[in-house]
């Protein structure tokens, strides 16, 4: 009875941490409350981790089997090894490199979940209870190892250290790897089923983990950069589920709660991202989107882009009534968000009404553009989602497209042969005039020619976004 009374504060702390995590996630659903939500969720996680470290002899063992004072020393050491470089890199990484940071941290989470599963399986503890324990432990290991391998590849691609190689027969290879992983998953759940193969349990588990890792690598290798937001959110969901599963195996409430919440949020985000691209989940992962040669103009005809001088583009916006800005990844690469906001403020001072249109999959990470604009100080009430602003383009004098590509490609509406046909886009082409800031005439990250760039009402302003916008600011001062 005394143990139950002593354990009550610990269990109550986990309950409070859970409430804070849920409320924090709820507040993250809006840009206005997102910062506050992150703090709430952070405090919740801090409480959950702190409670895990509380060691009361004779009580902690009842809550987390195997807990001991000696283990705390090792845990403190591991936390220090991970937290110090994470703190250092987290403070230094620019927002433009946030997607690759999220990808690699996702991968580390998956690797950690896979490592926990491996320890439980190698030690035999995962097989000491009911059949539910090895099932959950092995599925968690599959998710964790696969997500680790895939997330590392995603990081290398986003960091531009790796392309999207065309692997002959990749669907056949991935099919074989998937079947092998499935068979090894079943065998690892109940090693006695394959006792006739003369494989030790340790060898079987090792092969299972290696195949799961390779599966994640091979599935992710051919995926183009345009699909990376969905890839990242999918692996985020897998890692959350893996952590939740392993939390059940080691009976850690914090892992169960946090993992389940992250898994659910990641799954929902994946569905929403795929829906925003009007594509199924399987199409995103296995269609090889972007794995196409750059196409010339329709019918093989050579077409030209109409160029405009920076000064003329600035004057066009200065004498407009309504301007809609469409930011894309090119803005992030050029780190031009602050200059853009300065330009917009100058236009507003001249009486021009300016709005920002953000596509759900703009950038390389869910919410990438909204975070970038918020970091520059753009008020939230100037930022509109696709559904909110698409009808406004027809009444806009100018649509200023900065480094965006597929999300404004009219081929998504009109060309049934286009890989992006059916994808909801921002109707920038319906503005009376379209100004596109772009480095060159090449195709975008997906490898698809953009019909918008050849439109009769489109003018290209070639150059680095920051340099062009800086020149526009100077030109506006003279208007």
């Amino acid at each position: 009875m005394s143990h139950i009374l002593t354990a009550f504060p610990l269990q109550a702390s986990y309950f409070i941490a859970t409430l804070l995590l849920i409320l924090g996630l709820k507040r993250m659903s809006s840009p206005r409350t997102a910062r506050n939500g992150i703090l709430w969720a952070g405090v919740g996680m801090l409480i959950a981790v702190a409670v895990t470290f509380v060691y009361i002899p004779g009580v902690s063992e009842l809550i987390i089997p195997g807990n001991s004072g000696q283990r705390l020393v090792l845990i403190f050491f591991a936390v220090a090894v991970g937290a110090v470089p994470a703190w250092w890199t987290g403070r230094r990484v620019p927002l433009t490199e946030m997607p690759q940071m999220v990808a690699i941290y996702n991968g580390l989470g998956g690797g950690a979940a896979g490592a926990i599963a491996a320890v439980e399986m190698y030690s035999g503890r995962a097989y000491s209870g009911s059949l539910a324990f090895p099932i959950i432990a092995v599925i968690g290991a599959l998710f964790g190892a696969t997500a680790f391998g895939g997330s590392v590849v995603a990081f290398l691609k986003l960091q531009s250290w790796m392309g999207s190689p065309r692997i002959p027969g990749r669907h056949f290879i991935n099919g074989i790897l998937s079947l092998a992983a499935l068979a090894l998953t079943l065998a690892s759940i109940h090693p006695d089923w394959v006792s006739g193969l003369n494989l030790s349990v340790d060898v079987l588990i090792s092969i299972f983990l290696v195949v799961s890792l390779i599966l994640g690598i091979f599935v992710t290798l051919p995926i183009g950069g345009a699909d990376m937001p969905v890839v990242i959110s999918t692996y985020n969901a897998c890692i959350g589920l893996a952590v939740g599963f392993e939390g059940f195996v080691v009976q850690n409430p914090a892992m169960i709660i946090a993992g389940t919440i992250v898994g659910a949020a990641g799954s929902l985000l994946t569905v929403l991202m795929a829906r925003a691209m009007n594509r199924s989940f399987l199409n995103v992962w296995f269609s090889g989107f972007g794995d196409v040669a750059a196409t010339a103009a329709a019918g093989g005809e050579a077409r030209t882009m109409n160029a405009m001088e920076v000064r003329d583009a600035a004057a066009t916006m200065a004498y407009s009534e309504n301007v809609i800005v469409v930011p894309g990844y090119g803005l992030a690469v050029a780190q031009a968000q602050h200059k853009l906001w300065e330009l917009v403020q100058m236009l507003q001072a001249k009486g021009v009404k300016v709005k920002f249109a953000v596509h759900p999959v703009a950038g390389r990470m869910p919410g990438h553009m909204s975070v970038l604009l918020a970091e520059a100080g753009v008020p939230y009430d100037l930022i509109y989602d696709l559904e909110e602003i698409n009808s406004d383009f027809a009444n806009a004098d100018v649509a200023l497209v900065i480094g965006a590509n597929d999300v404004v490609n009219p081929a998504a509406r009109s060309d049934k042969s286009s890989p992006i046909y059916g994808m909801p886009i921002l109707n920038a082409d319906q503005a009376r005039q379209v100004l596109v800031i772009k480095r060159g005439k090449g195709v975008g990250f997906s490898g698809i020619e953009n019909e918008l760039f050849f439109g009769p009402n489109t003018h290209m302003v070639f150059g680095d976004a920051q340099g062009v916008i800086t020149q526009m600011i100077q030109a506006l001062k003279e208007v």
Side-chain angles (χ1 to χ4, degrees):
M1 183 65 180
S2 60
H3 284 169
I4 296 176
L5 292 176
T6 312
F8 176 75
L10 299 181
Q11 299 288 19
S13 299
Y14 279 127
F15 178 72
I16 293 172
T18 303
L19 284 180
L20 288 171
L21 285 170
I22 294 173
L23 292 174
L25 274 178
K26 176 70 173 63
R27 296 184 72 79
M28 287 181 209
S29 62
S30 168
R32 297 178 186 279
T33 57
R35 181 186 292 271
N36 194 259
I38 291 172
L39 291 175
W40 284 34
V43 171
M45 183 52 66
L46 182 64
I47 292 174
V49 172
V51 170
T52 303
F53 280 105
V54 173
Y55 178 71
I56 303 174
V59 176
S60 297
E61 291 85 347
L62 297 177
I63 301 173
I64 304 177
N67 198 358
S68 68
Q70 291 83 357
R71 287 190 179 185
L72 294 182
V73 177
L74 296 175
I75 294 173
F76 273 122
F77 177 74
V79 168
V81 169
V84 172
W87 177 268
W88 185 77
T89 56
R91 291 180 63 85
R92 294 172 59 89
V93 65
L95 276 175
T96 51
E97 297 179 5
M98 196 63 73
Q100 42 266 58
M101 191 190 78
V102 171
I104 193 62
Y105 282 172
N106 262 347
L108 292 174
I116 292 171
V119 169
E120 296 301 306
M121 293 163 68
Y122 282 128
S123 67
R125 287 192 293 270
Y127 301 101
S128 59
S130 66
L131 184 60
F133 279 88
I135 290 176
I136 293 174
V138 172
I139 292 177
L142 173 66
F143 284 2
T146 304
F148 173 64
S151 295
V152 170
V153 173
F155 165 76
L156 295 174
K157 284 172 174 283
L158 291 168
Q159 193 69 12
S160 299
W161 290 350
M162 176 185 284
S164 298
R166 299 183 180 186
I167 303 173
R170 68 173 186 270
H171 293 308
F172 176 77
I173 295 173
N174 289 338
I176 294 296
L177 284 171
S178 299
L179 289 175
L182 177 61
L184 287 165
T185 299
L186 294 174
S188 298
I189 289 173
H190 207 304
D192 290 342
W193 292 344
V194 291
S195 57
L197 297 178
N198 292 322
L199 284 176
S200 69
V201 175
D202 288 354
V203 171
L204 176 64
I205 293 170
S206 299
I207 296 174
F208 160 67
L209 293 172
V210 170
V211 170
S212 300
L213 186 70
I214 295 174
L215 175 64
I217 293 173
F218 269 77
V219 168
T220 314
L221 270 178
I223 298 177
D227 284 336
M228 274 302 146
V230 179
V231 171
I232 292 175
S233 60
T234 304
Y235 281 140
N236 186 46
C238 289
I239 290 162
L241 293 174
V243 171
F245 287 163
E246 300 315 322
F248 177 81
V249 173
V250 300
Q251 295 292 287
N252 186 303
M255 290 177 63
I256 297 173
I257 295 165
T260 304
I261 292 174
V262 171
S267 301
L268 182 60
L269 185 59
T270 300
V271 172
L272 293 175
M273 297 288 285
R275 187 177 299 167
M277 299 168 74
N278 194 37
R279 298 165 62 196
S280 68
F281 176 80
L282 293 178
N283 181 273
V284 170
W285 278 86
F286 301 111
S287 67
F289 180 77
D291 186 22
V292 296
T295 55
E301 299 176 358
R303 296 181 296 177
T304 57
M305 300 178 185
N306 298 316
M308 178 180 277
E309 295 295 327
V310 173
R311 182 179 296 276
D312 294 334
T316 299
M317 289 190 289
Y319 291 110
S320 300
E321 291 185 5
N322 299 290
V323 173
I324 298 178
V325 180
V326 181
Y329 186 66
L331 176 76
V333 171
Q335 300 187 36
Q337 64 271 22
H338 293 281
K339 284 294 180 185
L340 174 61
W341 177 226
E342 184 180 346
L343 172 71
V344 169
Q345 288 177 300
M346 292 184 69
L347 290 172
Q348 290 175 324
K350 293 180 179 297
V352 181
K353 296 178 181 177
V354 184
K355 297 178 180 177
F356 290 82
V358 176
H359 194 279
V361 295
R364 304 278 180 84
M365 184 179 70
H368 194 184
M369 285 303 109
S370 297
V371 172
L372 205 69
L373 295 175
E375 190 251 352
V378 177
Y380 293 125
D381 56 4
L382 294 183
I383 302 174
Y384 294 84
D385 294 331
L386 182 145
E387 295 82 4
E388 296 174 323
I389 201 168
N390 242 359
S391 60
D392 292 353
F393 278 104
N395 298 318
D397 296 312
V398 175
L400 176 63
V401 180
I402 308 172
N405 206 323
D406 298 320
V407 298
V408 291
N409 191 343
R413 290 197 311 259
S414 58
D415 184 2
K416 293 184 178 180
S417 64
S418 173
I420 62 170
Y421 179 72
M423 170 181 165
I425 61 166
L426 292 164
N427 296 329
D429 59 313
Q430 296 178 359
R432 278 185 275 279
Q433 188 156 10
V434 182
L435 302 177
V436 180
I437 298 177
K438 194 173 185 300
R439 285 176 179 270
K441 298 181 179 180
V443 296
F445 213 61
S446 65
I448 302 171
E449 196 73 87
N450 194 332
E451 295 299 315
L452 176 69
F453 301 161
F454 301 95
N457 58 337
T458 299
H459 286 87
M460 308 296 292
V461 186
F462 292 111
D464 173 78
Q466 176 144 201
V468 169
I469 295 173
T470 301
Q471 293 178 54
M472 285 181 169
I473 292 171
Q474 292 300 322
L476 282 183
K477 292 178 180 176
E478 301 170 6
V479 173

